[in-house]
C-alpha cells in the first residue's frame, strides 16, 4: 500500500517542471530515509522523525501549490492530498506490524507455553504404563509445537527471518 501511494504521487501530474523536481526530491528523500532508518536501523519498530518531516513538507508543498493555482488544477491537488493520506496510513500499518516484534504480546506466549506444558503432562499421564510410547509421543508433540510456533513467529515478524520483506520493495520505479 505504501509503495502504491508513492507511485500515485510520483506519477501525479503537476503544473510546472520546477514542481516536478521538488515533488520527486521529496519522494526520493522519503524512500531513502525509510530504507536506511526505518527498515535498516529500526527494523520497522520505530518511526523516523526525518520521514515524518518529509511527509509534512510534502503535504505543505501540496497545500501551498493548491492555493497558488487556478480552479481547474485543484482536483489534482485534492488527489495529491488523498494520496499523501494513503501514504501516512500505509506507513502506520507497516510500523504497527513491525512493533509487534517488541514482545508486547508476551502474555499470550506465556499462556501458549502453559498449554503446551499441560498437554505434555497429559500425554505422559495417558502413557504412564508404557514409558517408551510416552517418550515417542512427547517427542512428536514437542516437534509439532516447535514447528507451529516457528510458523506463527515468522508471520508475526515479517521484517525478520529467512523470508523477510526487504526495503527494496518500497522503491519507486519509473
Amino acid at each position: 500500500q505504501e509503495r502504491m501511494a508513492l507511485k500515485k504521487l510520483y506519477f501525479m501530474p503537476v503544473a510546472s517542471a520546477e514542481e516536478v523536481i521538488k515533488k520527486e526530491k521529496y519522494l526520493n528523500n522519503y524512500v531513502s530515509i525509510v530504507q536506511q532508518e526505518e527498515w535498516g536501523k529500526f527494523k520497522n519498530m520505530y518511526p523516523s522523525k526525518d520521514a515524518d518531516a518529509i511527509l509534512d513538507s510534502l503535504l505543505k508543498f501540496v497545500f501551498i501549490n493548491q492555493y497558488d493555482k487556478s480552479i481547474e488544477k485543484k482536483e489534482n491537488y485534492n488527489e495529491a492530498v488523498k494520496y499523501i493520506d494513503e501514504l501516512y496510513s500505509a506507513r502506520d500499518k507497516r510500523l504497527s506490524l513491525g512493533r509487534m516484534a517488541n514482545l508486547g504480546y508476551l502474555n499470550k506466549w506465556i499462556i501458549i507455553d502453559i498449554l503446551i506444558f499441560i498437554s505434555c503432562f497429559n500425554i505422559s499421564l495417558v502413557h504412564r504404563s508404557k514409558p517408551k510410547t510416552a517418550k515417542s509421543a512427547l517427542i512428536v508433540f514437542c516437534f509439532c509445537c516447535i514447528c507451529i510456533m516457528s510458523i506463527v513467529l515468522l508471520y508475526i515478524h515479517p521484517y525478520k527471518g529467512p523470508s523477510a520483506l526487504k526495503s527494496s520493495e518500497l522503491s519507486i520505479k519509473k
Side-chain angles (χ1 to χ4, degrees), residues 40-137:
K41 195 188 305 181
F42 301 137
K43 303 277 190 245
N44 288 316
M45 291 186 198
Y46 307 105
S48 167
K49 291 182 181 182
D50 294 336
D52 285 334
I54 287 177
L55 284 177
D56 292 342
S57 299
L58 182 63
L59 191 60
K60 198 180 300 182
F61 167 75
V62 168
F63 281 139
I64 288 171
N65 286 328
Q66 178 180 3
Y67 292 110
D68 290 346
K69 306 300 176 207
S70 65
I71 293 177
E72 304 101 37
K73 301 291 181 183
K74 286 197 178 187
E75 60 269 356
N76 284 346
Y77 293 104
N78 291 337
E79 290 283 321
V81 171
K82 180 179 138 191
Y83 297 152
I84 292 171
D85 184 46
E86 287 177 17
L87 184 59
Y88 271 110
S89 175
R91 178 175 176 245
D92 287 341
K93 286 179 187 176
R94 175 178 49 83
L95 291 172
S96 69
L97 192 59
R99 278 190 291 272
M100 289 179 71
N102 280 343
L103 294 177
Y105 48 89
L106 186 60
N107 295 337
K108 293 177 185 174
W109 283 108
I110 292 171
I111 292 170
I112 289 171
D113 291 339
I114 290 171
L115 287 173
I116 290 172
F117 176 75
I118 291 170
S119 298
C120 287
F121 185 71
N122 286 335
I123 289 173
S124 63
L125 280 178
V126 168
H127 296 290
R128 71 177 170 244
S129 63
K130 302 173 195 167
K132 192 172 184 181
T133 308
K135 285 179 187 176
S136 61

Side-chain angles (χ1 to χ4, degrees), residues 116 120 123 134-151:
I116 290 172
C120 287
I123 289 173
K135 285 179 187 176
S136 61
L138 284 173
I139 289 172
V140 169
F141 178 75
C142 289
F143 178 74
C144 291
C145 287
I146 289 169
C147 289
I148 289 171
M149 291 175 74
S150 299
I151 290 169

